[in-house]
Amino acid sequence: MQTKLLAALLDQAGVELEDASGYAWIGERWVDEIPGAYDPLPQRSVDLRFPHVDAVQARARAQSAAIERVLAMGGLTDEQVEGLRAVGTLLYPYVIQRDP
């Protein structure tokens, strides 16, 4: 989840890195900051279709913090920095519960 989430963020921002392994900790911390991110939800959960504002805000705060961490690492071009700051999509990670 962490790797895909970070890759999706960088893709949204138009940031291509030859080696993103140095940023892996940011993805880990991002997911860790989302309460219940690893708790499986039923596929037809109302919380997936109509998430509570608290869940959306928690994810937005975690994403914003992840962006700030990427920026703090430095080494990005002005265009990449601008792309990260312009991301307007909230990435919403969740785990779907498998049917028995």
Side-chain angles (χ1 to χ4, degrees):
M1 180 186 299
Q2 302 93 330
T3 303
K4 287 183 179 184
L5 193 56
L6 187 59
L9 173 67
L10 296 175
D11 185 57
Q12 286 281 322
V15 176
E16 293 184 27
L17 300 174
E18 286 185 32
D19 181 17
S21 62
Y23 295 83
W25 67 274
I26 296 172
E28 292 170 10
R29 203 146 158 217
W30 183 353
V31 175
D32 288 344
E33 290 177 349
I34 300 171
Y38 293 110
D39 297 342
L41 295 170
Q43 191 167 6
R44 299 186 190 276
S45 172
V46 71
D47 292 330
L48 290 177
R49 292 183 150 202
F50 305 103
H52 192 274
V53 69
D54 291 344
V56 174
Q57 288 175 337
R59 283 167 168 76
R61 281 190 299 272
Q63 180 171 320
S64 178
I67 291 170
E68 290 302 319
R69 289 182 188 111
V70 171
L71 294 173
M73 297 246 334
L76 300 176
T77 67
D78 290 342
E79 292 82 21
Q80 291 172 324
V81 168
E82 194 174 307
L84 278 166
R85 289 191 172 146
V87 170
T89 302
L90 177 60
L91 301 172
Y92 199 94
Y94 56 88
V95 176
I96 294 292
Q97 186 177 40
R98 291 185 171 204
D99 293 330

